Amino acid sequence: MRYFNLYIRYLVRAVSCLFSIYALATFIIGVIIVFPFALIFSFLGKDRGGNIIYVIGRGWTDLSFLLWGIWHKNIYEASHDRKRQYVFVVNHISYMDIPAIMKTVRRQRLRVLGKVEPSKIPIFGSIYKDAVVMVDRSTNESRINSIKELMSVIHNGTSILIFPEGTFNETHQPLIPFFDGAFRIAIETQTPVKPLLFLDTYKRLNYRSFFSLMPGRCRAVYLEEVPVEGLTLNDLPMLKEKVYRIMQEKLISYKAEWIKQDDRKRDTTIQ
């Protein structure tokens, strides 16, 4: 039985690797096809051009998920008004999180908060600048300009999406500590926070390897918005802690795959 189980384990790994190679090939072909169109529309400017790039990205993601055998489902624990602007905050656990965004936030103007470095890549940088809101923290002046751009984007009727953990959660805890950025932006622009959960991207594509892609379900959960009306920057720690607790408890209740069994069973009441 031991050798049989070992054989099955290696067989699953081999199938996963082959499937990942197939998925990577379709990904590259898709990028080659889509890239010229995205580049052309990038010349229409950050607003109109960026919106069209997102439409292209959503279409490309729809086709990719179909080819990869991944079916997406949005779960609404609370009503969601697509006409309102939000600061979406999402847990970050996989390379699959980016395409999952395209499947989750639909029929709504959106920009993802991104680092400034990719904008320096030739040609690709032109598309990147229009598709994301860049934050440059290299100097105080750059940070202030980034905040002004964020405010302009939100006041223009566009929501933004941020991974408050800042990087992959490579632990077996529900979340790793949040950075202040998302909550500072929410308070400074008086925009409600809308927590989202990605439950299955970890299982679809593990952050440890590009060759771990497997077909299956991919769920996103819309949680109840957290209002920030009247809050000041003095309330930032409280807001950050509140959102962290909400997302942590829900990830445990949904039995997210990466969480240790002990953490799933423990009492999540705030002490």
Side-chain angles (χ1 to χ4, degrees), residues 15-217:
V15 171
S16 178
C17 185
L18 289 173
F19 183 78
S20 297
I21 293 172
Y22 153 76
L24 181 61
T26 60
F27 173 83
I28 293 173
I29 292 171
V31 169
I32 292 173
I33 294 173
V34 166
F35 185 82
F37 295 99
L39 182 61
I40 291 171
F41 287 120
S42 69
F43 291 105
L44 295 178
K46 295 182 72 65
D47 187 24
R48 187 181 177 189
N51 291 336
I52 295 175
I53 289 172
Y54 266 83
V55 171
I56 294 173
R58 286 164 179 157
W60 168 78
T61 302
D62 289 345
L63 179 59
S64 296
F65 271 37
L66 179 64
L67 294 174
W68 299 343
I70 297 175
W71 57 92
H72 183 89
K73 179 181 180 181
N74 283 343
I75 299 171
Y76 295 91
E77 286 207 350
S79 60
H80 177 62
D81 186 355
R82 292 186 176 88
K83 296 180 180 180
R84 295 190 65 189
Q85 285 70 57
Y86 299 98
V87 174
F88 290 102
V89 291
V90 194
N91 61 298
H92 199 14
I93 196 70
S94 168
Y95 292 105
M96 188 60 69
D97 292 342
I98 300 301
I101 292 171
M102 298 297 176
K103 296 291 289 183
T104 302
V105 184
R106 313 285 285 199
R107 300 188 299 277
Q108 188 166 1
R109 292 162 61 98
L110 179 72
R111 293 294 185 274
V112 177
L113 195 69
K115 297 179 180 179
V116 71
E117 287 77 13
S119 66
K120 301 174 183 178
I121 300 174
I123 303 178
F124 171 79
S126 299
I127 299 174
Y128 182 83
K129 289 177 182 178
D130 291 334
V132 306
V133 175
M134 295 179 295
V135 173
D136 185 358
R137 300 184 179 90
S138 58
T139 65
N140 188 52
E141 182 180 358
S142 298
R143 192 193 72 81
I144 293 173
N145 289 334
S146 296
I147 293 295
K148 287 180 179 179
E149 182 179 356
L150 283 166
M151 290 182 176
S152 175
V153 167
I154 291 174
H155 292 156
N156 195 34
T158 302
S159 297
I160 61 171
L161 184 146
I162 301 174
F163 295 112
E165 295 166 289
T167 187
F168 288 147
N169 173 10
E170 298 183 14
T171 74
H172 290 290
Q173 303 298 317
L175 299 164
I176 58 176
F178 285 173
F179 286 95
D180 291 347
F183 311 99
R184 177 181 294 274
I185 292 165
I187 291 173
E188 290 186 343
T189 61
Q190 289 292 285
T191 306
V193 176
K194 174 73 80 166
L196 296 174
L197 305 179
F198 287 161
L199 300 177
D200 304 303
T201 53
Y202 172 84
K203 195 170 184 179
R204 299 284 69 79
L205 181 61
N206 195 290
Y207 57 79
R208 294 187 183 92
S209 173
F210 282 109
F211 297 98
S212 61
L213 181 66
M214 291 294 286
R217 68 180 180 179

